[in-house]
Amino acid sequence: MQSCIRLSLSLTGTAALALASLPFGISPAAAQDPEAASTEAADLGVMGVNLRDAVKFNYGFQGALQGAGTPNQAGLGAFIPLHVGSSSVAFVDVLVNANFNDYGNYSSIINTDVSGTTFSTSTRLGYRWLNGNRSWMFGVNAGYDSRPMATGPADTGVTVTNSQTGFFQQVSAGVEAVSNSWNFNAYALVPVGDTEQQLNSVYDGGALDTYGLDVGYSITPELRASVGYYYQSGDLGAADGSGVRGRLAYNLTNGLTVGANLSYDQAFETRVSADIKYRFGTNGYGAPSIRKQQPVVIPVIQALSTTPANRDVRVHDAGWAVGSEPANGQSAASQQVPVCCTTPAEENPPPFYKF
């Protein structure tokens, strides 16, 4: 009997030493079941994430179809962390886009077609941080955007000559808050310099002040929806008014996102556009992935290294150029209110793009 007791004690001690020697203190159940180990890792959640591992330099391309005052465009961009702390990151984000022609006879700025390739730039300097329990990410950013804009004929039936390439620029600021389910983004786009420019012999174009708030919700980890309100002003008062915007964005795989946008305001009426973005150098924290080997996607951590939104210089051209002759025979100089032209071509726009 004593030998049996001694044998039992010896086996118990051996087992205890064996368990204590397992790496990282894995429990017996975790040692037998790989899924249990991954569950335990997931339970660490956001508090177990080292931001220096999660927030990395990333770069890639983006593209978008024309919208309300914005062009068809495609280009390159990069997110550059300047300093990553235990719960915060300072960064700079840069974009360079080639701007292309408008769709045939369908102006993105109302009357004059954008025609010819130019290159626009956008820069944001920002700071983002997590709250104490890492349930929310907050951020502020500010920057400068430029947009050369080549122009061609008008799609109103009016013959224009002396087409110009304008140069518009703006300063901008944004405030953001992101949780695992919700995100809020308030922004201001303020044109500077020569905000109203002659585009051709008939029309002037003006860069728009735009102030807005977008509210988003994660329907699934991959699918996000948002709605927003904005107020715009400019182009000698012709574009002043409120608008609404909706968006759906879907993360197809690690770093690749596609989106669809719908907006309405009295100046541009209904506009539908789409966009795509891909970023190299992201990991599972930077973008959702269907591959199981990627780290668990945590939206508040993902948001630390996302590209800030609302970067376009928006332009509207309902005003008559000085010296042109409106249809009523009065000179543009004698008119205090800009005139918009409506023609059969505008009343029958291409399907899908305008309603």
Side-chain angles (χ1 to χ4, degrees):
M1 174 67 71
Q2 291 179 353
S3 62
C4 291
I5 293 173
R6 285 195 297 270
L7 179 59
S8 299
L9 292 173
S10 176
L11 291 174
T12 302
T14 302
L17 289 173
L19 289 174
S21 65
L22 287 174
F24 310 112
I26 298 176
S27 66
Q32 295 175 5
D33 184 3
E35 291 296 324
S38 63
T39 301
E40 184 176 329
D43 288 342
L44 291 175
V46 69
M47 299 305 294
V49 176
N50 186 331
L51 295 193
R52 291 177 177 84
D53 295 330
V55 180
K56 300 288 187 180
F57 166 78
N58 62 76
Y59 64 97
F61 65 84
Q62 65 279 331
L65 300 179
Q66 69 185 61
T70 62
N72 293 301
Q73 57 187 313
L76 303 175
F79 175 89
I80 307 168
L82 300 177
H83 174 75
V84 180
S86 60
S87 61
S88 63
V89 56
F91 67 91
V92 62
D93 191 279
V94 294
L95 303 176
V96 177
N97 283 320
N99 303 322
F100 306 112
N101 296 352
D102 283 344
Y103 307 127
N105 203 38
Y106 182 56
S107 171
S108 61
I109 63 175
I110 294 299
N111 294 316
T112 304
D113 289 333
V114 173
S115 180
T117 302
T118 58
F119 291 89
S120 61
T121 66
S122 178
T123 304
R124 292 289 183 275
L125 182 65
Y127 182 77
R128 289 167 171 162
W129 69 95
L130 301 171
N131 66 344
N133 63 6
R134 294 190 170 188
S135 59
W136 283 89
M137 186 282 293
F138 302 99
V140 294
N141 65 79
Y144 168 82
D145 310 309
S146 67
R147 182 186 176 184
M149 190 179 74
T151 63
D155 66 4
T156 59
V158 176
T159 300
V160 299
T161 59
N162 194 30
S163 295
Q164 304 289 314
T165 296
F167 181 78
F168 299 96
Q169 52 190 331
Q170 66 186 17
V171 293
S172 58
V175 178
E176 55 190 341
V178 178
S179 72
N180 286 336
S181 298
W182 294 93
N183 69 87
F184 301 86
N185 181 26
Y187 60 94
L189 310 175
V190 182
V192 294
D194 192 0
T195 61
E196 188 75 21
Q197 299 180 33
Q198 185 168 337
L199 303 182
N200 49 52
S201 59
V202 176
Y203 297 110
D204 279 347
L208 301 181
D209 291 81
T210 308
Y211 308 92
L213 172 66
D214 294 325
V215 179
Y217 180 76
S218 295
I219 300 172
T220 70
E222 295 80 21
L223 181 63
R224 182 181 295 272
S226 67
V227 294
Y229 164 85
Y230 59 91
Y231 178 82
Q232 64 190 20
S233 62
D235 197 17
L236 303 178
D240 292 5
S242 298
V244 292
R245 178 174 65 175
R247 174 174 171 79
L248 283 175
Y250 188 79
N251 293 295
L252 292 174
T253 186
N254 193 21
L256 179 61
T257 304
V258 294
N261 310 279
L262 174 67
S263 67
Y264 176 82
D265 59 67
Q266 289 188 339
F268 292 100
E269 299 183 337
T270 303
R271 300 278 174 151
V272 177
S273 65
D275 56 74
I276 185 171
K277 181 179 71 174
Y278 185 77
R279 288 293 182 263
F280 301 94
T282 59
N283 51 36
Y285 299 113
S289 174
I290 61 174
R291 293 177 291 180
K292 292 183 179 179
Q293 67 268 28
Q294 293 292 337
V296 177
V297 175
I298 304 173
V300 291
I301 301 298
Q302 174 189 339
L304 288 168
S305 55
T306 56
T307 297
N310 302 299
R311 313 284 287 269
D312 292 311
V313 179
R314 305 176 62 235
V315 178
H316 184 271
D317 79 327
W320 292 96
V322 174
S324 64
E325 291 295 330
N328 60 11
Q330 298 179 355
S331 67
S334 67
Q335 297 194 7
Q336 300 300 316
V337 181
V339 180
C340 294
C341 298
T342 301
T343 69
E346 281 189 297
E347 294 171 359
N348 297 282
F352 178 76
Y353 300 118
K354 188 174 182 181
F355 303 90

